[in-house]
Amino acid sequence: MTIKDAEGTNIPVGEDDFPLYFSEWLKCRRQELDLTQVQLAKLASCTVFTIRKIESGERRPSRQLAGLLARSLEIPPDVQATFIKVARGELNIERLSHIARIGEAEGSITFNPAPPPVNLPPQTTPFIGREAELAALGKLLAEPECRLLTITGLGGIGKTRLAIELASNQQSLFPGGVYYVSLVSLNSPEFIIPAIAEVLKFSLSAAGNPQEQLLKHLALQTRQALLLVLDNLEHLLVPPSIQDGYDETPSILSNLLENLPNLKILATSRERSNLREEWIFEVHGLPVPMNDPTSSLEDYSAVALFLQCARQLKADFELMPAERPVLARICQLVEGTPLAIELAAAWVGMLSMEEIAEEIASNLDFLTSRMRNIPERHRSLRAVFTHSWTLLSTEEKHVLCRLAVFRGGFQRQAADQVAGASLSILQSLLSKSLMGRRDNGYYDLHTLIRQCALEKLQESGHWQETRHQHLAYFKSLALEAQDGLRGPHLAEWLNRIEQEHNNIRAALEWAFTPSAPSGWVEDGFCLLTSIDRFWAARGHIREGLAWAERGLQASTAISLPRAQALRFAGWLYNHTGESQAALRCLEESLSIARQLNDETWQANALDTLGDVFWELGDFNQASAYYAESLELLRKGGDARKIGLSLASAGRLYVDNGYYQEAEALLTEGLYLLERVSDLRGCGWCFNALGRLALFQGELTLAATQFRQALQVNYDLGYMVDIADGLHSLAVIEAIAGNESCATLFRAAATKLQNRIGFIYPDSDPLHSRAPAAWLQAAPSFQEWKQGEMMPLDQIVALALERETE
């Protein structure tokens, strides 16, 4: 068998190089048949994406796909059943070793290296998934410099099983032997040496130093490479705060490695040993189904494990079509944690899939096993957490339970201010596998760890205090974002707030709880309204309204924060076309602002009242409110607010045929907004100037202005205004006779508006400029939804590239 190197040269795979994993074997066989991934995908009736996933070890083929691959790869008929089982992970890869190379006689090649001495514990169930991890670990273990390789991860994540599978697959690298040493029952580092000696069947003398005796014995035995698998090391890593002298476990490992050059150690631990020789490999949950249309549910290792466990406990278990999304949710709830999946599957004989999912979401103690031969620390998810909790220092416990108030991750600064987490504590929790760090720099707790830590926080008596610190932090962040959302860095701030969306939800939930302490509702109002642009820009209009309604019900006290929340609710109601609700909120907001003699918020309420009457088509009322608002704003001297008010009034005058007045208002407004770098305001002015050009018959200029507005808003990710821009360009294309593009742009705009809860007013004079026949023939959102639709990015790109004459 041969495989191509990076330069395309055929390299023979010899007896000692027989692939260790199915993914490698598949790639060898494909290249031997001179097939590309695209060609194999075509032969097997699947996507090239699927072939890539299989060859990279990220996924196993379904049983049906494995059968198609067997035929495509010219596997002899009498071996195809074995091939399918190997492909599915039910048989070892060596079962394919007798398949002949292409062009040679069957059975002419075998791969039967002499096995080294090994004492790995036998496994009673097939190993599922983890091909990518096994491949990466195999490469690390083969590195000469890698002498101590530690597999770390959350309890129950599958470290032990992965280490045993890795050691089994890599036996040929260690002719001196592969020895598994379980450390779980040891209660002191001093027993590590006797435990290793017992596995090696070496008797220690009572007279001598145990470590020196073991070193001498291993020096004789490690003339050839030898692997020690040390399982469950974490509880023997003595915390520095309770050490007497040196940390004994790391010292033992260092001495072994220093004196035995042919020795390698593969360790599993929830915590790093922090030795210079240590190489870390962190293990996470099994892949879980999300929204990948190219893969079937069974392609995911988490699902495959659940089905295997379920069928082991209930032989006639069959997953019904309606239960498939529920199983996906179960796997998501436990984030692919193997132990949790096994514990969940144990209930299939008693509960429905929906009931299992509901219990997991609401009751941590549900995930418990009554199996007699399961270690105590793995009998429940709570036992897993308790084992890790006992190994923490007091300060680490204090920080961990407070970090549980975060939702969807947290940054280092937030951890410091809310939980008092220093960098060293974060590093310690990270090294103990109780916390993870994402590529974007955010830290996070596993869902199940967070549930347990929250219980500890509630028991500690610091629950309310920590929630208030969390609310205070995100209120402060919102106040900082308030200016950012109105400046040149709007897009960056929108992205930042989106990343913190779940934390903001949690803070608002606590602020608007009826039993919340005094002052929390006002803090919630401040948080909610300071990021007002976020809710509309990113399509969260309905959610923003829901929070405003909850807060307004929680407190009826007359205050400036209430006036701000009422104005915010009125602004969003206007987006959704609920004019009467908008007027009710805005009139109360204006009344409170006048009682408190706050001219800034009077102006804000008046300006938004102008928006409502513009939507209603009442020019006189709208212009009066805009004029009164503008007068107050000019007194205040805030250029940005004045510019936005001018832009709003300018669009009103455009739509009502006062073109000269509109041009003056929009020109001044654009000048002020460009001066203060309010990009969203500039986009609003460009759109209004486009309407002005269109209504005056300048189609090309109108198209240019609309595209400029769309480009600005697309770069910002401002969903409401992207929809408005596409709608405007749809009218331009319809007037120009480009009905296919016009229909595409209008359908995209309508779909986006419906998704974010924005209602485009029927009274918009822009409609009167479009051909009536096109307006009547254009598909509704519901009709369009049933067909295929280009991604929004592609539609925007098309709209920006077109030229209209």
Side-chain angles (χ1 to χ4, degrees):
M1 184 176 268
T2 62
I3 187 170
K4 288 182 171 62
D5 64 10
E7 299 177 354
T9 305
N10 285 321
I11 299 174
V13 179
E15 184 171 319
D16 293 332
D17 298 318
F18 185 77
L20 294 172
Y21 310 109
F22 176 74
S23 56
E24 296 175 1
W25 190 96
L26 180 70
K27 183 176 181 180
C28 291
R29 186 72 172 185
R30 174 179 60 76
Q31 292 183 344
E32 199 173 67
L33 291 165
D34 201 24
L35 293 173
T36 64
Q37 289 180 331
V38 173
Q39 290 168 332
L40 179 56
K42 188 174 181 181
L43 288 170
S45 302
C46 67
T47 66
V48 69
F49 176 84
T50 300
I51 297 297
R52 288 173 185 157
K53 288 281 188 181
I54 295 171
E55 288 194 357
S56 67
E58 296 179 45
R59 201 162 291 165
R60 285 191 180 272
S62 64
R63 196 168 300 280
Q64 180 182 4
L65 179 55
L68 292 169
L69 286 171
R71 291 188 285 276
S72 303
L73 295 169
E74 301 180 11
I75 305 300
D78 60 331
V79 188
Q80 287 186 9
T82 299
F83 173 91
I84 292 171
K85 289 184 178 180
V86 172
R88 296 289 298 151
E90 297 167 12
L91 291 176
N92 193 286
I93 186 64
E94 291 181 2
R95 295 293 291 271
L96 299 181
S97 63
H98 66 285
I99 296 178
R101 297 174 180 168
I102 302 302
E104 295 185 16
E106 277 298 329
S108 61
I109 292 179
T110 58
F111 297 82
N112 297 308
V118 60
N119 77 325
L120 295 173
Q123 303 302 304
T124 57
T125 56
F127 185 80
I128 290 179
R130 301 288 196 199
E131 286 207 342
E133 290 92 333
L134 284 170
L137 284 163
K139 290 177 182 177
L140 288 175
L141 207 54
E143 289 278 349
E145 297 84 4
C146 181
R147 304 280 313 286
L148 170 59
L149 176 57
T150 304
I151 299 175
T152 66
L154 178 72
I157 207 70
K159 300 182 294 295
T160 296
R161 189 68 191 272
L162 179 60
I164 291 171
E165 186 71 11
L166 173 66
S168 176
N169 290 342
Q170 301 290 340
Q171 290 180 42
S172 61
L173 295 179
F174 301 99
V178 175
Y179 296 96
Y180 173 84
V181 184
S182 175
L183 306 176
V184 68
S185 62
L186 307 188
N187 57 17
S188 172
E190 66 182 291
F191 300 123
I192 293 178
I193 294 296
I196 295 174
E198 182 179 354
V199 165
L200 295 172
K201 302 189 185 311
F202 170 62
S203 298
L204 294 170
S205 169
N209 182 292
Q211 191 169 158
E212 290 178 2
Q213 293 179 61
L214 181 64
L215 285 173
K216 288 178 182 178
H217 175 75
L218 283 173
L220 296 173
Q221 192 159 340
T222 58
R223 291 171 180 172
Q224 293 180 301
L226 182 146
L227 179 67
L228 279 181
V229 182
L230 303 182
D231 189 27
N232 288 287
L233 193 62
E234 65 273 352
H235 63 294
L236 300 176
L237 298 170
V238 183
S241 59
I242 59 173
Q243 287 184 59
D244 289 324
Y246 58 84
D247 192 340
E248 194 172 351
T249 298
S251 174
I252 292 169
L253 302 183
S254 287
N255 285 342
L256 289 172
L257 294 170
E258 182 180 346
N259 290 282
L260 304 168
N262 287 327
L263 173 69
K264 289 198 175 191
I265 297 174
L266 173 63
T268 71
S269 178
R270 301 186 192 186
E271 180 179 352
R272 303 170 186 177
S273 64
N274 291 323
L275 289 170
R276 282 187 303 173
E277 300 94 333
E278 186 177 38
W279 292 48
I280 301 295
F281 189 93
E282 188 171 1
V283 180
H284 303 284
L286 295 169
V288 301
M290 299 300 287
N291 298 306
D292 184 359
T294 65
S295 301
S296 65
L297 199 66
E298 291 79 2
D299 287 337
Y300 291 91
S301 303
V303 171
L305 177 60
F306 184 96
L307 294 176
Q308 173 188 285
C309 296
R311 287 164 185 157
Q312 184 179 355
L313 295 165
K314 190 173 184 286
D316 61 347
F317 176 80
E318 184 177 352
L319 187 68
M320 296 293 103
E323 295 174 328
R324 296 173 70 83
V326 185
L327 176 52
R329 180 170 174 248
I330 289 171
C331 294
Q332 292 165 11
L333 283 170
V334 300
E335 298 185 24
T337 304
L339 175 61
I341 292 170
E342 292 173 4
L343 294 174
W347 289 94
V348 294
M350 181 179 296
L351 301 177
S352 70
M353 297 293 286
E354 187 66 44
E355 288 172 325
I356 292 173
E358 290 173 1
E359 288 290 338
I360 292 172
S362 61
N363 179 14
L364 184 68
D365 289 322
F366 170 73
L367 295 174
T368 303
S369 174
R370 292 177 175 82
M371 294 285 186
R372 292 189 174 91
N373 60 344
I374 292 179
E376 188 65 35
R377 70 188 190 285
H378 280 175
R379 286 185 179 271
S380 69
L381 265 297
R382 185 178 300 282
V384 169
F385 176 77
T386 301
H387 180 72
S388 294
W389 181 262
T390 58
L391 301 176
L392 298 179
S393 68
T394 301
E395 187 178 4
E396 288 169 341
K397 291 176 180 177
H398 173 92
V399 169
L400 179 63
C401 64
R402 282 162 174 73
L403 291 176
V405 298
F406 288 102
R407 302 288 190 278
F410 50 89
Q411 291 188 313
R412 181 178 148 196
Q413 181 183 11
D416 179 30
Q417 295 191 26
V418 175
S422 65
L423 185 59
S424 62
I425 289 293
L426 289 177
Q427 178 61 34
S428 179
L429 293 174
L430 200 63
S431 73
K432 290 176 168 63
S433 304
L434 290 168
M435 193 173 72
R437 191 171 188 271
R438 304 184 206 148
D439 292 339
N440 63 3
Y442 274 68
Y443 297 91
D444 203 359
L445 303 182
H446 188 285
T447 302
L448 302 174
I449 289 292
R450 193 178 67 78
Q451 282 182 259
C452 292
L454 268 179
E455 291 182 7
K456 293 290 186 183
L457 178 61
Q458 290 164 347
E459 293 169 4
S460 72
H462 297 293
W463 170 234
Q464 184 166 296
E465 169 200 340
T466 308
R467 285 189 301 164
H468 188 249
Q469 289 171 333
H470 180 277
L471 172 59
Y473 175 81
F474 284 100
K475 172 189 170 184
S476 174
L477 178 67
L479 287 170
E480 185 182 354
Q482 189 170 32
D483 291 334
L485 291 171
R486 288 159 174 77
H489 302 295
L490 169 61
E492 290 91 330
W493 272 106
L494 287 173
N495 291 334
R496 172 75 188 280
I497 298 300
E498 190 70 73
Q499 286 181 319
E500 300 288 7
H501 195 170
N502 286 328
N503 275 313
I504 289 167
R505 285 169 171 155
L508 292 172
E509 176 75 32
W510 297 326
F512 297 151
T513 298
S515 59
S518 174
W520 284 35
V521 174
E522 287 71 20
D523 287 342
F525 282 152
C526 181
L527 166 56
L528 179 68
T529 60
S530 294
I531 55 172
D532 53 356
R533 281 191 173 182
F534 164 75
W535 304 101
R538 289 300 164 89
H540 304 302
I541 293 173
R542 288 291 179 189
E543 183 187 346
L545 258 178
W547 286 121
E549 289 168 350
R550 282 188 60 175
L552 291 168
Q553 290 171 6
S555 172
T556 57
I558 293 177
S559 65
L560 187 58
R562 180 174 177 83
Q564 295 168 344
L566 285 162
R567 181 264 162 194
F568 171 73
W571 179 64
L572 289 183
Y573 274 128
N574 193 44
H575 279 74
T576 64
E578 298 172 79
S579 301
Q580 293 307 309
L583 289 173
R584 172 177 51 79
C585 290
L586 291 167
E587 286 167 357
E588 184 181 348
S589 175
L590 180 60
S591 174
I592 293 174
R594 282 174 170 162
Q595 288 181 58
L596 299 176
N597 198 30
D598 190 299
E599 292 190 344
T600 297
W601 281 99
Q602 288 179 49
N604 290 340
L606 289 164
D607 185 80
T608 311
L609 280 165
D611 293 343
V612 176
F613 282 102
W614 170 72
E615 298 279 6
L616 292 172
D618 189 334
F619 173 78
N620 291 329
Q621 279 277 52
S623 59
Y625 279 124
Y626 282 144
E628 188 177 354
S629 173
L630 185 57
E631 182 181 355
L632 290 172
L633 291 172
R634 287 194 187 278
K635 284 174 60 179
D638 188 318
R640 184 193 60 76
K641 291 181 179 178
I642 295 169
L644 289 172
S645 182
L646 288 166
S648 297
R651 180 159 168 167
L652 171 72
Y653 277 80
V654 168
D655 288 354
N656 286 274
Y658 299 97
Y659 300 142
Q660 187 173 352
E661 294 89 337
E663 185 172 7
L665 290 166
L666 291 171
T667 301
E668 183 186 358
L670 180 60
Y671 167 75
L672 291 173
L673 292 168
E674 286 181 330
R675 199 178 78 185
V676 297
S677 300
D678 189 326
L679 300 181
R680 192 266 168 167
C682 292
W684 180 260
C685 286
F686 291 141
N687 189 280
L689 288 168
R691 295 167 76 92
L692 177 62
L694 176 61
F695 294 168
Q696 291 180 313
E698 299 179 66
L699 193 65
T700 302
L701 177 59
T704 300
Q705 295 282 19
F706 286 144
R707 289 194 177 95
Q708 194 169 359
L710 179 60
Q711 182 69 71
V712 168
N713 289 308
Y714 179 70
D715 290 343
L716 295 175
Y718 213 101
M719 295 299 175
V720 168
D721 292 347
I722 291 173
D724 195 16
L726 286 171
H727 190 95
S728 301
L729 285 169
V731 173
I732 291 286
E733 295 291 350
I735 294 171
N738 303 319
E739 289 193 6
S740 61
C741 273
T743 299
L744 181 64
F745 296 164
R746 187 182 181 206
T750 307
K751 178 181 179 180
L752 186 55
Q753 288 164 351
N754 277 272
R755 180 170 69 81
I756 63 181
F758 174 72
I759 305 299
Y760 205 88
D762 293 331
S763 60
D764 189 343
L766 198 66
H767 286 151
S768 65
R769 309 292 167 155
W774 171 74
L775 277 174
Q776 295 168 3
S780 70
F781 170 69
Q782 290 299 330
E783 292 169 336
W784 188 270
K785 187 178 180 183
Q786 295 170 8
E788 293 185 358
M789 188 173 186
M790 291 169 59
L792 180 62
D793 290 351
Q794 293 183 24
I795 294 173
V796 170
L798 177 63
L800 294 174
E801 290 169 1
R802 290 186 58 77
E803 293 183 6
T804 305
E805 297 181 357

